[in-house]
């Protein structure tokens, strides 16, 4: 009797890993994979979705790499800002009271919760359509919140006001980051594996958190009592954090249409008669809110032009652009934006 062991899933190429041969007098086991490769494969399975890389979109891997790097820098800076915040509250000082520190911490958390509710009320419906922009804005607000914590010991008279502003800023981060992460998870999913992608993303974030905490504790210990080095380290990590976030967002090639991507698509179609791919549109898309608003003002004239669609490759797409609805039905041709 011969038994074979294969590794893989229905979405990936199967590979033979072992063959067990059993006879009446003996049996033999032949492995086709080394012990090191088997262990590394098992470890990898804990951090990437099943069937990777074919079970996710091509932009999943580069996005997760940059996202993990920015997360690492965030947790390192968290140790520095938390150290400054605790010293401002009075930890380690005999004059500090427990009830005073508790009240300050409560007021900080309370304002953050209130800010999160208000932000959700005003921008909740806009987060998924502009996921790339809000993902970047969320991390910028997180940087501002950490900066407030680090600044708070320098202004004792305005301590409560500063830490409350920082808490409100971070509450925006929590809402925007969570909402955009859900939208991006759906984008990455190619085989109805959004839950698996979300779980593995949690494992990746946990590793980044643990590594960041260890490095942050080491950095906090080295820089203790040296404010110039603390500020230099914090600002350097903040610059890297924003760069990593920008690179992560630029890696995304979303296949859904919002106002800006729709405008880019229509503008190029009217000029050349060709439909850009999601990758090409993502390269032309502006991410920062200021850039986007100025770009909209330049392209708003497109909605006042008469557009005839019917035989072009824009199949089954219904675009809603600044109140003007454009319906395009192709004849047997398909595009990368059609989900029907």
């Amino acid at each position: 009797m011969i038994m074979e062991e294969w590794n893989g899933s229905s979405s990936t190429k199967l590979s033979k890993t072992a063959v067990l041969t059993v006879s009446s007098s003996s049996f033999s086991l032949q492995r086709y994979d080394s012990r090191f490769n088997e262990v590394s494969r098992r470890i990898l399975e804990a951090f990437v979705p099943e069937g990777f890389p074919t079970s996710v979109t091509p932009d999943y891997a580069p996005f997760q790499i940059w996202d993990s790097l920015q997360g690492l820098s965030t947790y390192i800076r968290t140790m520095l800002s938390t150290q400054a915040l605790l010293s401002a509250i009075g930890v380690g000082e005999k004059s500090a009271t427990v009830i005073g520190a508790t009240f300050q911490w409560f007021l900080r958390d309370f304002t953050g919760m209130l800010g999160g509710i208000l932000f959700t009320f005003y921008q909740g419906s806009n987060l998924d359509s502009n996921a790339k922009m809000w993902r970047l804005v969320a991390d910028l607000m997180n940087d501002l919140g950490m900066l407030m914590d680090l600044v708070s010991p320098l202004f004792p008279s305005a301590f409560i006001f500063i830490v409350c502003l920082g808490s409100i800023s971070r509450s925006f981060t929590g809402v925007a980051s969570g909402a955009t992460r859900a939208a991006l998870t759906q984008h990455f999913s190619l085989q109805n594996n959004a839950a698996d992608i979300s779980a593995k993303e949690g494992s990746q974030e946990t590793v980044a958190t643990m590594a960041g905490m260890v490095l942050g504790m080491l950095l906090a210990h080295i820089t203790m009592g040296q404010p110039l080095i603390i500020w230099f380290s914090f600002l350097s990590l903040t610059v890297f954090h924003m760069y990593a976030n920008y690179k992560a967002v630029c890696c995304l090639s979303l296949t859904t249409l919002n106002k800006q991507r729709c405008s880019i698509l229509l503008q190029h179609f009217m000029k050349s008669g060709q439909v850009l791919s999601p990758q090409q549109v993502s390269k032309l898309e502006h991410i920062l809110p200021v850039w986007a608003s100025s770009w909209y003002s330049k392209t708003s004239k497109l909605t006042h032009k008469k557009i005839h669609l019917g035989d072009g490759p824009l199949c089954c797409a219904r675009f809603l652009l600044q109140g003007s609805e454009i319906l395009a039905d192709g004849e047997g041709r398909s595009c990368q934006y059609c989900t029907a």
Side-chain angles (χ1 to χ4, degrees), residues 91-259:
V91 175
E93 296 182 4
K94 295 182 179 180
S95 59
T97 61
V98 175
I99 188 63
T102 303
F103 175 75
Q104 292 173 348
W105 203 270
F106 162 77
L107 192 60
R108 170 180 174 268
D109 290 346
F110 180 80
T111 54
M113 295 175 186
L114 184 61
I117 294 174
L118 293 176
F119 179 75
T120 303
F121 175 75
Y122 284 105
Q123 292 293 339
S125 60
N126 190 38
L127 296 176
D128 54 349
S129 61
N130 294 287
K132 296 172 70 172
M133 182 196 75
W134 283 114
R135 178 75 180 184
L136 196 64
V137 171
D139 287 288
L140 176 61
M141 299 303 291
N142 190 38
D143 291 338
L144 291 177
M146 289 186 180
L147 181 62
M148 293 293 181
D149 289 344
L150 199 63
V151 168
S152 60
L154 303 179
F155 303 94
S157 59
F159 171 75
I160 294 294
F161 178 73
I162 293 175
V163 296
C164 286
L165 285 180
S167 182
I168 293 174
S169 179
R170 276 191 301 274
S171 70
F172 295 168
T173 301
V175 175
S177 179
T180 55
R181 167 53 67 178
L184 295 180
T185 300
Q186 292 296 328
H187 161 70
F188 292 138
S189 175
L190 292 181
Q191 299 177 355
N192 295 323
N193 57 342
D196 187 25
I197 293 175
S198 180
K200 298 304 170 58
E201 194 274 337
S203 298
Q204 298 170 20
E205 186 174 355
T206 300
V207 172
T209 302
M210 293 188 297
M213 290 174 63
V214 172
L215 294 176
M217 285 292 295
L218 180 62
L219 182 61
H221 178 72
I222 294 175
T223 60
M224 184 178 298
Q226 304 180 62
L228 291 179
I229 299 180
I230 291 176
W231 276 101
F232 176 78
S233 301
F234 180 85
L235 295 177
S236 299
L237 288 169
T238 300
V239 171
F240 173 76
H241 175 256
M242 291 308 302
Y243 174 77
N245 268 292
Y246 181 77
K247 293 293 290 183
V249 172
C250 288
C251 291
L252 296 172
S253 299
L254 302 182
T255 56
T256 56
L257 290 174
N258 58 10
K259 282 187 177 182

Side-chain angles (χ1 to χ4, degrees), residues 50-97:
E50 182 180 357
F52 175 85
T54 57
S55 62
V56 292
T57 56
D59 54 357
Y60 172 81
F63 175 82
Q64 290 300 128
I65 292 174
W66 285 110
D67 187 57
S68 298
L69 290 175
Q70 68 86 16
L72 180 65
S73 67
T74 295
Y75 297 118
I76 295 176
R77 290 178 301 134
T78 298
M79 302 305 296
L80 297 177
S81 61
T82 302
Q83 183 184 42
L85 181 62
L86 292 176
S87 65
I89 290 177
V91 175
E93 296 182 4
K94 295 182 179 180
S95 59
T97 61

